[in-house]
Amino acid sequence: MTRRMIPFTIASALVAETQNGDPILNVLRSSMETKKGVTLYLHGQTIGLLVTAIGEHFIEGRNQQASKIVVRIASIDAAALS
């Protein structure tokens, strides 16, 4: 790779990042669309839920123990589809 190609490589990586979006939000949207559960990892704790709504800063979900769970998106460390 030459020095001339480096800025183009970085720019293409940034474009791919914005097109694909945030990977955690992609998992949350997939959970909501397919109605499958998701496990959220928050500061060493785990919460299993089904996503019912996604807002700008919060997600809303439910599970067997609680009918409504609201989680701040910024506090999510990781997410996994069940």
Side-chain angles (χ1 to χ4, degrees):
M1 181 180 316
T2 65
R3 288 186 178 178
R4 291 182 184 177
M5 292 181 65
I6 292 173
F8 296 111
T9 305
I10 293 171
S12 65
L14 292 175
V15 168
E17 173 81 19
T18 57
Q19 287 177 348
N20 294 338
D22 184 19
I24 291 177
L25 280 176
N26 289 341
V27 170
L28 296 173
R29 283 188 196 109
S30 177
S31 170
M32 187 171 69
E33 291 168 0
T34 60
K35 301 209 185 302
K36 288 188 177 181
V38 66
T39 302
L40 301 179
Y41 298 90
L42 309 154
H43 305 292
Q45 302 294 317
T46 60
I47 300 173
L49 57 89
L50 175 69
V51 178
T52 56
I54 299 175
E56 189 173 329
H57 300 288
F58 296 92
I59 65 159
E60 185 178 314
R62 60 184 167 84
N63 62 13
Q64 290 179 344
Q65 290 81 25
S67 62
K68 186 173 186 178
I69 302 169
V70 179
V71 178
R72 184 179 299 126
I73 293 174
S75 66
I76 299 172
D77 295 325
L81 278 173
S82 299

